[in-house]
Amino acid sequence: MLKDFKPVLGILLRFIIIYMVLLFGYQFYLNSFRASGLDPFSRLIAEQVRHVQNVLGYTTQLYNDVPKEQIWFYVKKVYATRMVEGCNAVSVMILFLAFIFAFYKGKQTFVFALVSLVLLYIMNVLRITGLNIVMTDYKEYGKVSHDFIFPAIIYGSVVLLWLIWIKFFALRNENS
């Protein structure tokens, strides 16, 4: 009976191992920047969000709050939102990568993972930009946007990429 579940157990074990290794590595990365405020990757995203917002006509400045490990977006002379480590979508990307590599299919796995991470990164920058615009111009929709709409965008993107991976790559040879 266990023989029938061996492929599924192998995928599950690979997922757990990859997820834990990436998660511990990310935590190590975060701990190494604890004294300097927000980590460099999150700062990079904040800078890119600032740039996109300025291009869109939403004059934006960033204020680094080192003790609280956050960056405030000052948009149109209002503190619209703040960025904390959780906004950088790295934990979502780690979950995504663990799933993709659990169904490893050679070098195409790396190519798909890289292209997908770039897409998720861009989606996240646009998500934060959108949230800042909502919080600046449509504050009454701020809570629902932050809690439901914008998380659905990033998680929906991950699920869509997972479905693409499974349908067109991971199960391609098994369906023929």
Side-chain angles (χ1 to χ4, degrees), residues 3 15 23 25 30 40-41 43 66 75 78 91 96-97 104 110 120 132-133 141 152 160:
K3 190 176 185 179
F15 172 82
L23 192 64
L30 288 177
F41 186 72
R43 288 179 204 219
V66 174
V75 185
V78 174
S91 58
F96 173 80
L97 286 175
Y104 182 78
F110 290 96
L120 289 173
N132 280 331
I133 291 170
Y141 300 108
L160 181 63

Side-chain angles (χ1 to χ4, degrees), residues 112-133:
F112 185 83
L114 181 63
V115 169
S116 297
L117 287 177
V118 169
L119 290 173
L120 289 173
Y121 184 90
I122 292 168
M123 186 64 67
N124 193 49
V125 168
L126 295 175
R127 177 184 73 93
I128 296 168
T129 300
L131 182 60
N132 280 331
I133 291 170

Side-chain angles (χ1 to χ4, degrees), residues 4-115:
D4 295 335
F5 293 108
K6 189 175 181 183
V8 173
L9 293 174
I11 290 169
L12 184 60
L13 185 61
R14 275 195 308 265
F15 172 82
I16 291 170
I17 291 170
I18 293 166
Y19 181 74
M20 296 305 281
V21 167
L22 291 173
L23 192 64
F24 285 131
Y26 180 55
Q27 192 58 54
F28 178 77
Y29 163 81
L30 288 177
N31 289 343
S32 66
F33 294 103
R34 188 118 4 242
S36 60
L38 202 56
D39 65 282
F41 186 72
S42 297
R43 288 179 204 219
L44 174 66
I45 291 173
E47 283 292 337
Q48 290 173 340
V49 168
R50 181 191 61 76
H51 176 74
V52 170
Q53 289 175 189
N54 284 332
V55 167
L56 294 174
Y58 286 84
T59 306
T60 303
Q61 294 176 325
L62 300 177
Y63 290 100
N64 194 7
D65 184 355
V66 174
K68 294 184 180 170
E69 296 179 33
Q70 61 189 2
I71 290 178
W72 285 92
F73 290 99
Y74 188 69
V75 185
K76 289 185 168 180
K77 300 181 182 181
V78 174
Y79 285 103
T81 62
R82 65 187 175 97
M83 179 158 174
V84 297
E85 173 273 324
C87 301
N88 68 17
V90 170
S91 58
V92 174
M93 292 176 190
I94 287 172
L95 185 64
F96 173 80
L97 286 175
F99 182 84
I100 296 300
F101 280 98
F103 291 89
Y104 182 78
K105 294 295 178 184
K107 95 176 157 179
Q108 68 183 359
T109 308
F110 290 96
V111 173
F112 185 83
L114 181 63
V115 169

